Amino acid sequence: MDAGIYNSVLVTGSNRGIGLELVRQLAESPIPPSQIFAGCRDPDGPRGKALKDLAQKHLNLITVVPLDTTDPASIKEASRVVGSKLGDGGLSLLINNAALNIPGNLQEAGMKEMVDVYITNVVGPMLVSKEFLPYMQRSSALPGSWAAKSGSKAAIINVSSLLSSIEMCRVTFSEACMYPYRTSKAALNMLTCCMAEELKTDGILVTALHPGWVKTEMGGPQAVLTPIESVSGMLRVISSLTSKDSGTLLNWEGNGIPW
Ligand code: NDP
């Protein structure tokens, strides 16, 4: 994977699971980005340790940024920190990875579960994208900052799920009833489509990406992919995106998933 096509990358929810592996593979790729911003809501807590250890190994590359994607003040402060490190440069890749799953079928899920999951999985990515957009627009305006073949110079990746697919629900529902999670990720797909349309003129791609069923806290031990396998596929897909992929839902192997 040629990570060098990204000048700078921000990954949300990067202290564990897929987010941590994204930061690790980006940092350890043969041509890494010039800056990696690793968002984490509690870097100094016990859950932040693995990320801080990784950042310690890549001192000039990884900046751990306190970022709670559901807290507008935290998003603003993170943007200030990232902006000061970027200087005149732009942000070429934003990966909205942070998410929450509160499992619940029709009987179990109530207002709190629906709202909490929606805020984390939909409102968070929207607010983060909005706040960091000026840096992405700046990246898009810089010459040659994204792979020439993509026809775009910056990208927002919304980490979605196969469970978001309305068309696939008939097949996937019995295995994972999860009302709050499914509906939130379906809404994230719509956010992806809206932003893809709006940001087309800025040359910013916006794509929803399903990482596969991955062994993380969220995916559980029965999952079929390791974070290493999932993330190497995701980064391969991200590095080969073109404008025709903007406003679509792809899986970690680059195959389209029906809405
Ligand atoms: P995990 O539950 O293992 O990790 C979730 C990450 O999101 C953690 O770093 C968590 O931080 C962070 N997070 C949650 N809420 C917030 C918040 N408000 N602000 C900042 N960070 C937050 O999930 P995965 O790594 O498995 O999932 C990553 C992405 O992949 C998600 O978008 C998920 O929906 C998607 N996905 C995963 C699948 C799987 O099989 N694993 C399948 C399909 C999609 P903290 O430690 O502080 O809680």
mmCIF file of all heavy atoms in Angstrom, residues 13-18 41 47 67-70 97-99 120 159-161 181 185 210-214 216-219, ligand 1:
data_model
loop_
_atom_site.group_PDB
_atom_site.id
_atom_site.type_symbol
_atom_site.label_atom_id
_atom_site.label_comp_id
_atom_site.label_asym_id
_atom_site.label_seq_id
_atom_site.Cartn_x
_atom_site.Cartn_y
_atom_site.Cartn_z
ATOM 1 N N GLY A 13 -11.103 7.692 16.932
ATOM 2 C CA GLY A 13 -11.256 6.431 17.673
ATOM 3 C C GLY A 13 -10.098 5.497 17.423
ATOM 4 O O GLY A 13 -10.292 4.324 17.106
ATOM 5 N N SER A 14 -8.862 6.014 17.594
ATOM 6 C CA SER A 14 -7.702 5.227 17.147
ATOM 7 C C SER A 14 -6.929 4.584 18.297
ATOM 8 O O SER A 14 -5.792 4.196 18.108
ATOM 9 C CB SER A 14 -6.779 6.113 16.314
ATOM 10 O OG SER A 14 -6.183 7.078 17.133
ATOM 11 N N ASN A 15 -7.540 4.469 19.464
ATOM 12 C CA ASN A 15 -6.795 3.873 20.583
ATOM 13 C C ASN A 15 -6.944 2.361 20.672
ATOM 14 O O ASN A 15 -6.243 1.718 21.444
ATOM 15 C CB ASN A 15 -7.218 4.509 21.920
ATOM 16 C CG ASN A 15 -8.704 4.427 22.136
ATOM 17 O OD1 ASN A 15 -9.469 4.923 21.319
ATOM 18 N ND2 ASN A 15 -9.130 3.781 23.204
ATOM 19 N N ARG A 16 -7.859 1.785 19.898
ATOM 20 C CA ARG A 16 -7.994 0.318 19.928
ATOM 21 C C ARG A 16 -8.668 -0.141 18.640
ATOM 22 O O ARG A 16 -9.125 0.682 17.841
ATOM 23 C CB ARG A 16 -8.763 -0.166 21.162
ATOM 24 C CG ARG A 16 -10.178 0.375 21.296
ATOM 25 C CD ARG A 16 -10.798 -0.064 22.621
ATOM 26 N NE ARG A 16 -12.017 0.676 22.933
ATOM 27 C CZ ARG A 16 -13.255 0.239 22.686
ATOM 28 N NH1 ARG A 16 -13.439 -0.923 22.096
ATOM 29 N NH2 ARG A 16 -14.295 0.977 23.018
ATOM 30 N N GLY A 17 -8.729 -1.462 18.480
ATOM 31 C CA GLY A 17 -9.457 -2.039 17.356
ATOM 32 C C GLY A 17 -8.936 -1.588 16.000
ATOM 33 O O GLY A 17 -7.728 -1.437 15.787
ATOM 34 N N ILE A 18 -9.845 -1.374 15.089
ATOM 35 C CA ILE A 18 -9.500 -1.035 13.704
ATOM 36 C C ILE A 18 -8.761 0.307 13.637
ATOM 37 O O ILE A 18 -7.805 0.460 12.876
ATOM 38 C CB ILE A 18 -10.790 -1.029 12.847
ATOM 39 C CG1 ILE A 18 -11.321 -2.469 12.722
ATOM 40 C CG2 ILE A 18 -10.547 -0.421 11.475
ATOM 41 C CD1 ILE A 18 -12.728 -2.582 12.168
ATOM 42 N N ARG A 41 -10.390 9.656 22.693
ATOM 43 C CA ARG A 41 -11.133 10.521 23.637
ATOM 44 C C ARG A 41 -10.494 10.590 25.018
ATOM 45 O O ARG A 41 -10.767 11.515 25.765
ATOM 46 C CB ARG A 41 -12.593 10.129 23.719
ATOM 47 C CG ARG A 41 -12.895 8.765 24.237
ATOM 48 C CD ARG A 41 -14.402 8.607 24.323
ATOM 49 N NE ARG A 41 -14.762 7.214 24.195
ATOM 50 C CZ ARG A 41 -16.001 6.771 24.234
ATOM 51 N NH1 ARG A 41 -16.990 7.632 24.351
ATOM 52 N NH2 ARG A 41 -16.262 5.493 24.125
ATOM 53 N N ARG A 47 -7.147 3.037 28.490
ATOM 54 C CA ARG A 47 -7.444 2.643 27.107
ATOM 55 C C ARG A 47 -6.553 3.356 26.093
ATOM 56 O O ARG A 47 -6.551 3.018 24.915
ATOM 57 C CB ARG A 47 -8.904 2.944 26.780
ATOM 58 C CG ARG A 47 -9.872 1.894 27.274
ATOM 59 C CD ARG A 47 -11.247 2.248 26.804
ATOM 60 N NE ARG A 47 -12.272 1.331 27.227
ATOM 61 C CZ ARG A 47 -12.618 0.231 26.550
ATOM 62 N NH1 ARG A 47 -11.999 -0.081 25.452
ATOM 63 N NH2 ARG A 47 -13.582 -0.544 26.996
ATOM 64 N N LEU A 67 -9.720 13.699 21.382
ATOM 65 C CA LEU A 67 -10.868 13.980 20.519
ATOM 66 C C LEU A 67 -12.033 13.068 20.873
ATOM 67 O O LEU A 67 -12.021 11.869 20.581
ATOM 68 C CB LEU A 67 -10.471 13.795 19.032
ATOM 69 C CG LEU A 67 -11.590 13.911 17.994
ATOM 70 C CD1 LEU A 67 -12.343 15.227 18.099
ATOM 71 C CD2 LEU A 67 -11.029 13.745 16.580
ATOM 72 N N ASP A 68 -13.029 13.679 21.539
ATOM 73 C CA ASP A 68 -14.299 12.984 21.756
ATOM 74 C C ASP A 68 -15.225 13.465 20.651
ATOM 75 O O ASP A 68 -15.619 14.641 20.613
ATOM 76 C CB ASP A 68 -14.871 13.320 23.143
ATOM 77 C CG ASP A 68 -16.194 12.597 23.403
ATOM 78 O OD1 ASP A 68 -16.888 12.228 22.430
ATOM 79 O OD2 ASP A 68 -16.534 12.415 24.578
ATOM 80 N N THR A 69 -15.574 12.562 19.751
ATOM 81 C CA THR A 69 -16.296 12.960 18.541
ATOM 82 C C THR A 69 -17.752 13.355 18.824
ATOM 83 O O THR A 69 -18.456 13.788 17.916
ATOM 84 C CB THR A 69 -16.265 11.834 17.493
ATOM 85 O OG1 THR A 69 -16.853 10.666 18.078
ATOM 86 C CG2 THR A 69 -14.854 11.527 17.048
ATOM 87 N N THR A 70 -18.200 13.182 20.076
ATOM 88 C CA THR A 70 -19.567 13.603 20.410
ATOM 89 C C THR A 70 -19.585 14.917 21.175
ATOM 90 O O THR A 70 -20.641 15.373 21.601
ATOM 91 C CB THR A 70 -20.296 12.533 21.252
ATOM 92 O OG1 THR A 70 -19.582 12.359 22.479
ATOM 93 C CG2 THR A 70 -20.378 11.218 20.521
ATOM 94 N N ASN A 97 -13.735 6.817 12.016
ATOM 95 C CA ASN A 97 -13.750 5.408 12.420
ATOM 96 C C ASN A 97 -14.491 5.179 13.742
ATOM 97 O O ASN A 97 -15.115 4.143 13.945
ATOM 98 C CB ASN A 97 -12.291 4.930 12.529
ATOM 99 C CG ASN A 97 -12.157 3.620 13.266
ATOM 100 O OD1 ASN A 97 -12.437 2.564 12.722
ATOM 101 N ND2 ASN A 97 -11.735 3.681 14.526
ATOM 102 N N ALA A 98 -14.438 6.171 14.656
ATOM 103 C CA ALA A 98 -15.024 5.995 15.993
ATOM 104 C C ALA A 98 -16.503 5.652 15.885
ATOM 105 O O ALA A 98 -17.229 6.261 15.098
ATOM 106 C CB ALA A 98 -14.856 7.268 16.819
ATOM 107 N N ALA A 99 -16.931 4.679 16.655
ATOM 108 C CA ALA A 99 -18.349 4.298 16.615
ATOM 109 C C ALA A 99 -18.732 3.558 17.878
ATOM 110 O O ALA A 99 -17.877 3.139 18.661
ATOM 111 C CB ALA A 99 -18.634 3.420 15.389
ATOM 112 N N THR A 120 -23.147 9.202 18.291
ATOM 113 C CA THR A 120 -21.752 8.785 18.044
ATOM 114 C C THR A 120 -21.524 8.436 16.570
ATOM 115 O O THR A 120 -20.509 8.825 15.987
ATOM 116 C CB THR A 120 -21.397 7.554 18.918
ATOM 117 O OG1 THR A 120 -21.631 7.884 20.277
ATOM 118 C CG2 THR A 120 -19.940 7.170 18.741
ATOM 119 N N VAL A 159 -16.391 5.002 8.149
ATOM 120 C CA VAL A 159 -16.370 3.555 8.351
ATOM 121 C C VAL A 159 -17.799 3.100 8.661
ATOM 122 O O VAL A 159 -18.371 3.430 9.706
ATOM 123 C CB VAL A 159 -15.375 3.141 9.453
ATOM 124 C CG1 VAL A 159 -15.368 1.623 9.586
ATOM 125 C CG2 VAL A 159 -13.975 3.645 9.111
ATOM 126 N N SER A 160 -18.372 2.392 7.713
ATOM 127 C CA SER A 160 -19.760 1.954 7.811
ATOM 128 C C SER A 160 -19.791 0.456 8.107
ATOM 129 O O SER A 160 -18.865 -0.063 8.757
ATOM 130 C CB SER A 160 -20.500 2.314 6.523
ATOM 131 O OG SER A 160 -21.868 2.048 6.651
ATOM 132 N N SER A 161 -20.788 -0.227 7.636
ATOM 133 C CA SER A 161 -20.944 -1.648 7.971
ATOM 134 C C SER A 161 -21.860 -2.314 6.957
ATOM 135 O O SER A 161 -22.764 -1.675 6.414
ATOM 136 C CB SER A 161 -21.560 -1.752 9.365
ATOM 137 O OG SER A 161 -21.975 -3.070 9.612
ATOM 138 N N TYR A 181 -27.693 0.300 15.992
ATOM 139 C CA TYR A 181 -26.481 0.289 15.163
ATOM 140 C C TYR A 181 -26.822 0.290 13.672
ATOM 141 O O TYR A 181 -26.286 1.076 12.891
ATOM 142 C CB TYR A 181 -25.653 -0.947 15.522
ATOM 143 C CG TYR A 181 -24.308 -1.016 14.841
ATOM 144 C CD1 TYR A 181 -23.261 -0.190 15.244
ATOM 145 C CD2 TYR A 181 -24.068 -1.919 13.808
ATOM 146 C CE1 TYR A 181 -22.019 -0.265 14.629
ATOM 147 C CE2 TYR A 181 -22.829 -2.000 13.190
ATOM 148 C CZ TYR A 181 -21.809 -1.173 13.605
ATOM 149 O OH TYR A 181 -20.577 -1.238 12.989
ATOM 150 N N LYS A 185 -25.936 3.367 11.059
ATOM 151 C CA LYS A 185 -24.990 3.218 9.938
ATOM 152 C C LYS A 185 -25.707 3.476 8.598
ATOM 153 O O LYS A 185 -25.081 3.953 7.646
ATOM 154 C CB LYS A 185 -24.338 1.837 9.966
ATOM 155 C CG LYS A 185 -23.363 1.638 11.135
ATOM 156 C CD LYS A 185 -22.094 2.494 11.008
ATOM 157 C CE LYS A 185 -21.072 2.156 12.076
ATOM 158 N NZ LYS A 185 -19.829 2.919 11.975
ATOM 159 N N HIS A 210 -16.917 -0.598 4.506
ATOM 160 C CA HIS A 210 -17.192 -1.696 5.468
ATOM 161 C C HIS A 210 -15.895 -2.470 5.690
ATOM 162 O O HIS A 210 -15.316 -2.988 4.726
ATOM 163 C CB HIS A 210 -18.287 -2.602 4.885
ATOM 164 C CG HIS A 210 -18.412 -3.919 5.573
ATOM 165 N ND1 HIS A 210 -18.603 -4.046 6.941
ATOM 166 C CD2 HIS A 210 -18.365 -5.204 5.088
ATOM 167 C CE1 HIS A 210 -18.668 -5.329 7.260
ATOM 168 N NE2 HIS A 210 -18.527 -6.043 6.161
ATOM 169 N N PRO A 211 -15.441 -2.559 6.952
ATOM 170 C CA PRO A 211 -14.133 -3.201 7.185
ATOM 171 C C PRO A 211 -14.163 -4.721 7.190
ATOM 172 O O PRO A 211 -13.113 -5.352 7.345
ATOM 173 C CB PRO A 211 -13.760 -2.683 8.591
ATOM 174 C CG PRO A 211 -15.054 -2.419 9.267
ATOM 175 C CD PRO A 211 -16.031 -2.018 8.193
ATOM 176 N N GLY A 212 -15.354 -5.321 7.014
ATOM 177 C CA GLY A 212 -15.477 -6.769 7.199
ATOM 178 C C GLY A 212 -15.837 -7.050 8.649
ATOM 179 O O GLY A 212 -15.980 -6.126 9.455
ATOM 180 N N TRP A 213 -16.016 -8.330 8.962
ATOM 181 C CA TRP A 213 -16.324 -8.708 10.353
ATOM 182 C C TRP A 213 -14.989 -8.989 11.035
ATOM 183 O O TRP A 213 -14.288 -9.941 10.706
ATOM 184 C CB TRP A 213 -17.246 -9.926 10.368
ATOM 185 C CG TRP A 213 -17.726 -10.283 11.751
ATOM 186 C CD1 TRP A 213 -17.749 -9.473 12.848
ATOM 187 C CD2 TRP A 213 -18.229 -11.552 12.175
ATOM 188 N NE1 TRP A 213 -18.251 -10.147 13.934
ATOM 189 C CE2 TRP A 213 -18.553 -11.428 13.554
ATOM 190 C CE3 TRP A 213 -18.453 -12.775 11.533
ATOM 191 C CZ2 TRP A 213 -19.074 -12.487 14.287
ATOM 192 C CZ3 TRP A 213 -18.972 -13.823 12.274
ATOM 193 C CH2 TRP A 213 -19.286 -13.670 13.639
ATOM 194 N N VAL A 214 -14.636 -8.105 11.976
ATOM 195 C CA VAL A 214 -13.251 -8.043 12.459
ATOM 196 C C VAL A 214 -13.185 -8.332 13.960
ATOM 197 O O VAL A 214 -14.012 -7.834 14.743
ATOM 198 C CB VAL A 214 -12.666 -6.629 12.193
ATOM 199 C CG1 VAL A 214 -11.168 -6.616 12.476
ATOM 200 C CG2 VAL A 214 -12.935 -6.189 10.761
ATOM 201 N N THR A 216 -12.448 -7.474 17.089
ATOM 202 C CA THR A 216 -12.160 -6.329 17.957
ATOM 203 C C THR A 216 -13.157 -6.425 19.109
ATOM 204 O O THR A 216 -13.980 -7.341 19.141
ATOM 205 C CB THR A 216 -12.405 -5.000 17.215
ATOM 206 O OG1 THR A 216 -13.794 -4.952 16.855
ATOM 207 C CG2 THR A 216 -11.545 -4.857 15.966
ATOM 208 N N GLU A 217 -13.136 -5.445 20.003
ATOM 209 C CA GLU A 217 -14.153 -5.466 21.070
ATOM 210 C C GLU A 217 -15.545 -5.464 20.462
ATOM 211 O O GLU A 217 -16.462 -6.129 20.924
ATOM 212 C CB GLU A 217 -13.977 -4.250 21.990
ATOM 213 C CG GLU A 217 -13.003 -4.519 23.104
ATOM 214 C CD GLU A 217 -12.883 -3.367 24.076
ATOM 215 O OE1 GLU A 217 -13.902 -2.802 24.503
ATOM 216 O OE2 GLU A 217 -11.727 -3.038 24.412
ATOM 217 N N MET A 218 -15.718 -4.671 19.383
ATOM 218 C CA MET A 218 -17.040 -4.588 18.770
ATOM 219 C C MET A 218 -17.359 -5.850 17.978
ATOM 220 O O MET A 218 -18.461 -6.379 18.051
ATOM 221 C CB MET A 218 -17.145 -3.362 17.853
ATOM 222 C CG MET A 218 -18.561 -3.118 17.386
ATOM 223 S SD MET A 218 -18.733 -1.773 16.217
ATOM 224 C CE MET A 218 -18.437 -0.348 17.214
ATOM 225 N N GLY A 219 -16.419 -6.342 17.218
ATOM 226 C CA GLY A 219 -16.665 -7.496 16.351
ATOM 227 C C GLY A 219 -16.738 -8.808 17.115
ATOM 228 O O GLY A 219 -17.395 -9.751 16.672
HETATM 229 P P1 NDP B 1 -14.201 -0.955 18.784
HETATM 230 O O1 NDP B 1 -15.427 -0.964 19.627
HETATM 231 O O2 NDP B 1 -13.204 -2.006 19.007
HETATM 232 O O3 NDP B 1 -13.489 0.487 18.891
HETATM 233 C C1 NDP B 1 -14.288 1.636 18.794
HETATM 234 C C2 NDP B 1 -13.384 2.841 18.865
HETATM 235 O O4 NDP B 1 -14.212 4.014 18.770
HETATM 236 C C3 NDP B 1 -12.633 2.949 20.201
HETATM 237 O O5 NDP B 1 -11.359 3.485 19.968
HETATM 238 C C4 NDP B 1 -13.493 3.923 20.988
HETATM 239 O O6 NDP B 1 -12.784 4.642 21.992
HETATM 240 C C5 NDP B 1 -13.885 4.856 19.866
HETATM 241 N N1 NDP B 1 -15.000 5.730 20.224
HETATM 242 C C6 NDP B 1 -16.262 5.398 20.537
HETATM 243 N N2 NDP B 1 -16.967 6.496 20.841
HETATM 244 C C7 NDP B 1 -16.121 7.546 20.710
HETATM 245 C C8 NDP B 1 -16.232 8.941 20.884
HETATM 246 N N3 NDP B 1 -17.392 9.500 21.273
HETATM 247 N N4 NDP B 1 -15.165 9.721 20.649
HETATM 248 C C9 NDP B 1 -14.002 9.172 20.250
HETATM 249 N N5 NDP B 1 -13.806 7.856 20.085
HETATM 250 C C10 NDP B 1 -14.868 7.056 20.330
HETATM 251 O O7 NDP B 1 -14.713 -0.965 17.286
HETATM 252 P P2 NDP B 1 -13.981 -1.471 15.930
HETATM 253 O O8 NDP B 1 -12.564 -1.106 15.968
HETATM 254 O O9 NDP B 1 -14.394 -2.855 15.696
HETATM 255 O O10 NDP B 1 -14.785 -0.580 14.876
HETATM 256 C C11 NDP B 1 -14.214 0.480 14.145
HETATM 257 C C12 NDP B 1 -15.198 0.891 13.069
HETATM 258 O O11 NDP B 1 -15.514 -0.231 12.233
HETATM 259 C C13 NDP B 1 -16.535 1.360 13.626
HETATM 260 O O12 NDP B 1 -17.010 2.425 12.843
HETATM 261 C C14 NDP B 1 -17.439 0.148 13.466
HETATM 262 O O13 NDP B 1 -18.804 0.498 13.392
HETATM 263 C C15 NDP B 1 -16.917 -0.403 12.163
HETATM 264 N N6 NDP B 1 -17.222 -1.812 11.945
HETATM 265 C C16 NDP B 1 -16.642 -2.780 12.720
HETATM 266 C C17 NDP B 1 -16.917 -4.109 12.468
HETATM 267 C C18 NDP B 1 -16.275 -5.216 13.234
HETATM 268 O O14 NDP B 1 -16.554 -6.383 12.932
HETATM 269 N N7 NDP B 1 -15.400 -4.946 14.191
HETATM 270 C C19 NDP B 1 -17.844 -4.522 11.403
HETATM 271 C C20 NDP B 1 -18.385 -3.406 10.648
HETATM 272 C C21 NDP B 1 -18.078 -2.125 10.926
HETATM 273 P P3 NDP B 1 -12.850 4.222 23.570
HETATM 274 O O15 NDP B 1 -11.779 3.209 23.776
HETATM 275 O O16 NDP B 1 -12.576 5.516 24.259
HETATM 276 O O17 NDP B 1 -14.205 3.674 23.834
#
